[in-house]
Amino acid sequence: MRLPRRAIALLSRATPVYKAGSLQVRTLLQASFDYKYIRDNADQLLENATSRNVHNARPHRVGELYDEYRGLLTQTNEHRSALNAASKEMGVLAKSMSDPKSKSAMLDLREQARVAKQAIQDIKEQLTDVESRLRCEAAKIPNSTHPDTPIGDETNARVVRTHGDLHNVKTVPEDGVDTQKLSSVEFQDHYDLVQRLGIVDMEAGARVAGSRFHYWRGGGALLELALVQYAMTRAAASGFVPHITPDAARSSVVDACGFRPRSSAEDGGAGEASQIYRMTPVTEERGEHNADPLCLVATAEIPLVAMRQQQILDGSSLPESVAGLSHCFRAEAGARGRDTRGIYRLHQFTKVELVTLSHPTASDAELQRLLDFQTSLYADLGLTFRVLQMPSHELGASAYQKYDIEAWMPGRKQWGEISSASNCTDYQARRLGIRVRGEGHHLFVHTLNATAVAVPRLAVALLESFQRPDGHVVIPAVLRPWMMGMESLAPENK
């Protein structure tokens, strides 16, 4: 049995609320899930979720709720048909009300109509409840996974290629450097470097905002601005339209992009911490509840993708490529140890993000284009880096396929992630209602994202890689146009 168009529209547009315990939980806005596909492929979807280390996805439950919804809709239509029939007969009887039998029949028909109306109202309430649970269960199912993706945790990441020579001796961007002397240097950790250079003030950041906030100062501030200008200039030259995005987005938008604005505990789960900061205006402190609260964005990917929500695009406009500058805010709950030292893992940082909206048939090629752009950026900076195809546990909810790029950080004596690139296929587009015109019907676009510059991580790699025996840090030639004539960062005189 096919659902009537009215039911499909209801499932696509409604934004119901249901209670989990005492907490009201909002479902995703405007999501367009293929419930029939989920029901018919529940075994496969459960296996996929398990391979991605997602244990709260219940595709079989989605199928049960979908069938329940269809059954309730059928009952509604039957009662509505009975109500229409009773109304039609009452119209006929109204012409002969002088007959006592007609009066009696009219009373019977009115009772039938009353019963039908009440039944429709009762089922409507059930439909709202079932639909709420249906949409919330469907939202827990992660994207499908590219068949080439390694299965397992981060230890199963596959190295695709490596660029450089591990300690950057051959790629230091300054003529006349004694590479033999450089290769014997004991590389310092970036934390010690930034203290000696006087370019980061972590203590002031902690006094003002708390731990893992920082101030760039002097040459450090110029370095951040240079990295942003470098990335934006290169991106614009490659066809990405520059944007400066909001640093906040509605909770429903954050949800739709695959980020969790609530902890698992709030959703009735085991209590996994959310990495998203939720904003609490003064009105909420006074007890006025906002059903769709603002969140600070963890990446410009969120506002860049959501710009096109509820739009139908012309195929000729695709791919649509944008580059967005924003501050990024991450709770970094659970972070421990050396990663919390210095500026490697912060609560707030600046990032240039690339986003592409692609025709579904072209997204694989677009992912490669993004990856090629990223590697050209880092190669021209002179960094040593490697490209990793990330395994299933590392994909997150939205990614179909993901690559990470890690730079060699000789002070830390380990690889460190500086960027990623993901193909999210139609995961985000279904939730945000972004389509492209097609013959006969509209298709959901595919969304892709890639980091151009995450400033602190890239700064760590640059500082540690290009330090010299005299304490200076060489500035890559491609950044110097924005460094006010500085060719290196010098130790601060104290």
Side-chain angles (χ1 to χ4, degrees):
M1 180 190 75
R2 292 183 61 85
L3 285 176
R5 290 184 178 179
R6 181 177 178 277
I8 295 173
L10 176 62
L11 282 169
S12 299
R13 292 195 299 267
T15 56
V17 175
Y18 78 102
K19 289 187 177 181
S22 60
L23 179 76
Q24 284 198 329
V25 180
R26 301 184 64 261
T27 58
L28 296 176
L29 293 172
Q30 307 293 347
S32 183
F33 297 115
D34 190 338
Y35 298 111
K36 183 177 185 300
Y37 176 85
I38 295 173
R39 183 196 63 186
D40 295 346
N41 296 274
D43 290 342
Q44 177 184 340
L45 292 173
L46 181 60
E47 181 181 357
N48 175 68
T50 302
S51 75
R52 295 168 70 114
N53 201 33
V54 176
H55 301 296
N56 66 339
R58 301 193 295 174
H60 293 89
R61 181 58 178 153
V62 173
E64 294 168 358
L65 290 168
Y66 178 54
D67 287 340
E68 183 178 352
Y69 182 90
R70 285 159 53 92
L72 289 170
L73 195 65
T74 298
Q75 293 178 41
T76 299
N77 290 335
E78 290 173 350
H79 288 301
R80 186 168 286 111
S81 295
L83 177 60
N84 291 338
S87 297
K88 185 176 181 179
E89 289 186 44
M90 283 190 287
V92 173
L93 286 175
K95 300 175 181 179
S96 57
M97 288 301 295
S98 58
D99 185 348
K101 292 183 179 180
S102 296
K103 294 181 179 181
S104 177
M106 181 66 77
L107 291 174
D108 290 341
L109 289 171
R110 286 175 176 170
E111 177 62 17
Q112 292 176 28
R114 187 194 66 79
V115 170
K117 286 180 180 178
Q118 185 60 51
I120 291 171
Q121 182 60 38
D122 292 343
I123 294 174
K124 182 179 179 180
E125 294 176 2
Q126 295 179 59
L127 278 170
T128 299
D129 175 68
V130 171
E131 183 201 354
S132 296
R133 289 183 284 133
L134 175 60
R135 293 169 66 82
C136 288
E137 289 295 337
K140 297 175 184 177
I141 299 173
N143 201 350
S144 57
T145 306
H146 192 284
D148 290 343
T149 296
I151 303 300
D153 61 19
E154 60 183 346
T155 62
N156 294 291
R158 181 182 299 132
V159 178
V160 177
R161 64 182 180 273
T162 301
H163 177 95
D165 66 354
L166 299 186
H167 57 280
N168 293 286
V169 172
K170 298 177 183 177
T171 55
V172 172
E174 184 175 36
D175 294 335
V177 172
D178 184 346
T179 57
Q180 292 298 320
K181 187 176 181 180
L182 184 65
S183 64
S184 65
V185 170
E186 180 64 29
F187 288 97
Q188 296 180 34
D189 179 275
H190 84 276
Y191 182 76
D192 296 324
L193 283 170
V194 299
Q195 300 302 313
R196 294 184 184 183
L197 296 170
I199 60 173
V200 172
D201 193 336
M202 299 295 297
E203 292 182 1
R207 288 195 300 270
V208 172
S211 64
R212 281 187 269 168
F213 287 90
H214 73 299
Y215 285 84
W216 285 112
R217 62 185 297 269
L222 293 179
L223 179 61
E224 167 156 322
L225 295 173
L227 285 167
V228 169
Q229 289 278 25
Y230 171 62
M232 278 295 200
T233 301
R234 290 281 291 267
S238 296
F240 294 86
V241 179
H243 286 69
I244 298 177
T245 74
D247 285 343
R250 298 184 186 280
S251 179
S252 56
V253 169
V254 175
D255 251 331
C257 289
F259 297 82
R260 299 181 62 84
R262 298 176 297 271
S263 68
S264 294
E266 289 179 289
D267 283 334
E272 176 187 352
S274 172
Q275 300 300 325
I276 299 294
Y277 283 105
R278 188 163 52 196
M279 298 169 66
T280 306
V282 174
T283 53
E284 289 193 25
E285 293 177 357
R286 296 170 180 163
E288 300 174 26
H289 178 65
N290 180 0
D292 197 5
L294 287 173
C295 298
L296 295 174
V297 298
T299 167
E301 168 195 343
I302 295 169
L304 288 175
V305 172
M307 281 195 305
R308 292 300 193 182
Q309 62 180 308
Q310 298 305 309
Q311 293 187 28
I312 299 174
L313 309 178
D314 288 324
S316 60
S317 70
L318 300 180
E320 184 174 303
S321 300
V322 294
L325 171 64
S326 77
H327 292 112
C328 303
F329 300 87
R330 300 185 184 183
E332 296 291 2
R336 296 288 186 274
R338 192 176 184 185
D339 280 359
T340 64
R341 173 179 165 89
I343 60 171
Y344 186 82
R345 192 178 295 278
L346 298 167
H347 290 312
Q348 176 187 333
F349 58 95
T350 302
K351 182 158 69 85
V352 176
E353 184 77 2
L354 308 174
V355 163
T356 293
L357 305 184
S358 165
H359 192 279
T361 60
S363 63
D364 287 340
E366 282 301 310
L367 180 60
Q368 188 59 52
R369 181 172 78 98
L370 290 171
L371 195 59
D372 290 344
F373 177 82
Q374 290 175 303
T375 55
S376 72
L377 279 182
Y378 310 138
D380 289 348
L381 284 169
L383 290 172
T384 290
F385 59 88
R386 64 182 184 178
V387 179
L388 303 175
Q389 185 174 17
M390 299 309 291
S392 55
H393 288 193
E394 299 297 308
L395 296 184
S398 61
Y400 168 69
Q401 186 176 23
K402 179 185 176 186
Y403 292 94
D404 277 2
I405 298 179
E406 295 181 337
W408 178 250
M409 299 177 179
R412 301 177 79 244
K413 296 182 175 59
Q414 60 186 230
W415 298 95
E417 180 189 343
I418 58 172
S419 70
S420 64
S422 300
N423 183 357
C424 298
T425 61
D426 65 356
Y427 182 95
Q428 296 170 328
R430 281 186 174 275
R431 289 157 171 75
L432 290 166
I434 311 172
R435 304 172 188 252
V436 57
R437 288 188 177 86
E439 295 183 4
H441 65 286
H442 303 318
L443 304 172
F444 289 104
V445 302
H446 283 191
T447 62
L448 302 95
N449 63 81
T451 308
V453 163
V455 171
R457 290 289 181 89
L458 206 50
V460 169
L462 294 172
L463 292 168
E464 293 191 1
S465 296
F466 301 145
Q467 56 185 293
R468 293 179 57 187
D470 61 3
H472 287 65
V473 172
V474 177
I475 297 169
V478 293
L479 298 181
R480 293 178 192 173
W482 301 285
M483 291 296 296
M484 298 181 65
M486 297 172 61
E487 295 186 356
S488 66
L489 300 171
E492 189 174 46
N493 294 323
K494 293 186 179 179

